[in-house]
Amino acid sequence: MAATTICSWNDFDPLQHVIVGRADHTCIPPSEPATEAKVPKDSDMHGLWGPRPLETVERANAELDNLANTLEQRGIRVDRPTPIQWNQAVITPDFHTTAMFGCMPPRDVLLTVGREILCAPMSFRCRYFEYLAYHPLMQRYFDEDPLFRWEQAPRPRLTDASYQSGYFDEITIEERLRRTAALDFVTTEHEPLFDAADILRLGQDLFCQHGLTTNRRGMQWLQRHFPDHRVHSVNFPGDPYPIHIDATFVPLRPGLIINNPQRRLPDEQRKIFAGNDWQIVNAAPPAHQQPPPLCYSSVWLSMNVLIIDHKTVCAEASEVYQLEQLDRLGFEVIPVPFRHAYPFGGGLHCATADVLRRGGCDDFFPNQIPGTRIN
Ligand code: GLY
């Protein structure tokens, strides 16, 4: 096997080594100050918590294994996390919750920036120990790659001060949208918080979605932690549940991004893309009217694709409109069945985390246009 090298600067350069999640022991976590954010009002998940039914775990694992095999058949090295028993309480001096989540979506917690993998300071109490599932891999990478930077953002305390109390009481979709547009989220600015899946990596620039899981202090921490990068704040006012950027704003190759048409990037924030010859096109509509049962995510997981290189992309097999659009845009499209895995933490991009992509830290935005930068 080739020597282990950790390095990735974006989501589209040629993929050589990746982590694919596992569904074992995944739980629906009990309600806590941050999770009401993620569960839509009409969701079948309200009031439920505990281990997911075994047959659904097995179906999700079959799809995850198939994804891993598909990538390996293309010569991509695949590693898998080591699930722990997620149906255990988390008790810290500051909070207590009775179950954890899972390790199907490594993208949420692991942020790869160049030679570094950074474990994110996530805002869900039930996800406090999720990084443990990746610890054996991080330890191995540390032993095998002398230049690997194994990092952990400051562990948040997640006391009640990190959340607005009563944020979700009687909240309508209209009110959610009003608050999203006003950048009024359940997480406060008490301490730095972000999910890795809110960070879009484009070489020297990191675009962070300001939303329910990432606050301004989290972005400020990122800017200080990556002083050679330019960290930007973006937001998407049409999203009633702004969590994770990868079903909203997805770069396909240098110069081309698909944007969820219901969650349009505001004009002011588009300027830096237009000013550097990036084209933003509307993503194709989802093929489904509803997400699968017991799913946190929206039907827009249709655009949550895993890019293999500038000409090749994995997309969910039943998402016929997205497959067609990618084909029209000149990609070889690899259809991958994944709807049984969706409820466990998202789509093909969510279920993976980059270890190695060939290519360097490009400057895609030499014309820096004011309006998005974090100082
Ligand atoms: N935030 C992911 C979604 O749209 O479901």
Side-chain angles (χ1 to χ4, degrees), residues 104-178:
M104 180 278 198
R107 191 73 63 178
D108 294 3
V109 60
L110 301 178
L111 180 66
T112 311
V113 177
R115 312 298 316 253
E116 170 169 333
I117 298 181
L118 171 68
C119 288
M122 298 201 285
S123 60
F124 286 20
R125 291 170 172 171
C126 59
R127 307 192 75 173
Y128 196 72
F129 286 125
E130 208 162 300
Y131 75 98
L132 292 178
Y134 306 100
H135 210 268
L137 288 177
M138 296 303 119
Q139 189 113 33
R140 215 180 76 207
Y141 299 159
F142 186 74
D143 292 341
E144 292 177 0
D145 177 359
L147 296 181
F148 171 45
R149 288 165 49 87
W150 180 8
E151 288 277 2
Q152 168 76 63
R155 300 288 280 147
R157 293 189 67 168
L158 304 181
T159 65
D160 289 346
S162 288
Y163 314 98
Q164 285 196 54
S165 70
Y167 183 87
F168 296 109
D169 296 348
E170 303 302 324
I171 186 173
T172 61
I173 289 287
E174 292 70 32
E175 176 61 8
R176 273 181 180 272
L177 288 169
R178 190 196 66 70

Side-chain angles (χ1 to χ4, degrees), residues 270-338:
R270 294 172 96 87
K271 288 182 181 163
I272 184 165
F273 294 94
N276 289 279
D277 298 326
W278 281 72
Q279 200 190 353
I280 301 176
V281 300
N282 281 345
H288 300 271
Q289 301 298 316
Q290 295 293 331
L294 301 180
C295 186
Y296 289 106
S297 307
S298 75
V299 290
W300 289 98
L301 288 181
S302 53
M303 55 187 291
N304 191 267
V305 297
L306 176 67
I307 297 164
I308 305 296
D309 59 40
H310 296 191
K311 295 188 169 149
T312 319
V313 59
C314 294
E316 207 285 324
S318 67
E319 292 295 348
V320 285
Y321 305 120
Q322 192 56 74
L323 299 179
E324 277 166 22
Q325 181 184 39
L326 292 164
D327 182 61
R328 275 198 312 277
L329 290 168
F331 283 90
E332 178 202 343
V333 188
I334 306 166
V336 179
F338 215 62

Side-chain angles (χ1 to χ4, degrees), residues 38 239 241-244 246-248 260 263 296-301:
K38 183 122 185 171
D239 186 357
Y241 305 95
I243 292 178
H244 305 164
D246 51 0
T248 297
N260 184 321
R263 309 173 186 170
Y296 289 106
S297 307
S298 75
V299 290
W300 289 98
L301 288 181

